[in-house]
């Protein structure tokens, strides 16, 4: 079963096949954490099946080989040390030239296709210029604009999204999947990472919402004179990592957007800090300033002394 928020994209793909428009190359793109790999696996499974309806039958010889994880008509290319080199792309040529073993199609998947270096991208262009009949090449990426325009223009694009209209379905799915996390926390994480359900699932499992909540409590304790500058800057330096600074920033920006309403605001991350900010003169300017200061902190996280100073100056400037 495909994730519920991906169903519309899969339906779109099925319609394309039903209309006899099976492409020979496609790009599956969307935010990190939306489910690109699951989508490409679903498409691959259907193409390898001998009797798809359109879901794979799960019983034919080709489906059984696919389930074992070693299908000779499927090739996967992945980045090594954050890079896809030309040799990996050249191996696709040999793969596509060979006759299919047991499946009706030959399928290759390039994961994180934006990691191709220029030589690899040029080699791929050659493959795309003469696509072998009956085959499909799938490129997965969350950074579409990093692919060469000439590659993008030769591929059909399947964009995966998860908008506000799907939040109820997503919330339900997340609650079933992570039953030990309060639904309020799931909604909070989804509010600041909209369109990335798998990332939300991972964060919920790490108890991220409680950690962020503690960070906000500490910040507020400083702003309302319950804790000293030294105590709070010490706490922030010790406990907030790069991902969490980013999330804090996302919460602040979410509070600005919340003021203007909109569909995205079905989910919220309420906190007393939000009221404190709104009680200040020009709260939006202040929030944007905080976000800028967080940016500077994130850039300097590898330098402990500097980080500490930047955190202190952020606290001083905000109060
Ligand atoms: Zn089958």
């Amino acid at each position: 079963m495909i994730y519920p928020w991906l169903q519309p994209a899969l339906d779109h793909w099925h319609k394309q096949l039903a209309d006899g428009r099976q492409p020979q190359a496609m790009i599956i793109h969307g935010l990190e954490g939306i489910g690109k790999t699951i989508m490409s696996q679903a498409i691959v499974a259907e193409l390898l099946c001998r009797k798809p309806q359109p879901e794979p039958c799960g019983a034919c010889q080709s489906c059984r080989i696919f389930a074992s994880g070693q299908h000779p008509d499927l090739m996967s290319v992945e980045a090594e040390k954050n890079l896809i080199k030309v040799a990996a792309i050249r191996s696709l040529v040999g793969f596509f030239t060979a006759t299919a073993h047991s499946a009706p199609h030959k399928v290759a998947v390039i994961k994180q296709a934006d990691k191709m270096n220029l030589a690899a991208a040029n080699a791929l262009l050659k493959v795309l210029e003469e696509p072998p009949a009956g085959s499909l090449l799938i490129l997965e990426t969350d950074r579409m604009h990093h692919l060469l325009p000439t590659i993008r223009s030769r591929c059909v694009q399947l964009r995966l999204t998860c908008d506000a209209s799907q939040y109820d379905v997503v919330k339900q799915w997340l609650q079933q999947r992570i039953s030990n996390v309060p639904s309020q926390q799931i909604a909070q994480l989804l509010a600041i990472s909209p369109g990335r359900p798998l990332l939300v699932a991972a964060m919920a499992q790490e108890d991220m919402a409680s950690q962020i909540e503690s960070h906000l409590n500490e910040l507020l304790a400083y702003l309302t004179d319950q804790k000293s500058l030294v105590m709070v800057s010490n706490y922030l330096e010790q406990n907030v990592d790069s991902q969490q600074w980013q999330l804090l920033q996302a919460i602040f920006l979410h509070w600005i957007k919340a003021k203007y309403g909109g569909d995205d605001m079905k989910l919220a991350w309420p906190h007393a800090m939000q009221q404190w900010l709104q009680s200040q003169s020009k709260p939006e300017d202040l929030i944007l300033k905080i976000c800028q200061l967080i940016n500077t902190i994130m850039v300097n996280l590898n330098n402990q002394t500097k980080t500490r100073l930047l955190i202190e100056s952020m606290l001083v400037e905000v109060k």
Side-chain angles (χ1 to χ4, degrees), residues 49-51 56-60 62-63:
C49 176
R50 286 180 177 180
K51 299 172 200 160
C57 72
C60 71
S62 189
C63 278

Side-chain angles (χ1 to χ4, degrees), residues 75-88:
M75 184 172 170
S76 223
V77 174
E78 285 180 45
E80 274 178 47
K81 292 183 186 156
N82 226 13
L83 195 67
I84 300 176
K85 291 188 185 163
V86 66

Side-chain angles (χ1 to χ4, degrees), residues 3 5-6 31-35 161-162 166-167 170-171 173-174 177-178 186 190 193-204:
Y3 298 145
W5 63 92
L6 298 178
L31 294 173
E32 185 191 352
I34 188 131
T161 58
C162 174
Q166 289 167 298
Y167 285 170
V170 171
K171 245 167 70 182
W173 179 85
L174 284 164
R177 190 176 161 122
I178 333 163
I186 290 175
L190 199 56
S193 300
R196 310 170 87 170
L198 301 181
L199 180 70
V200 170
M203 292 196 296

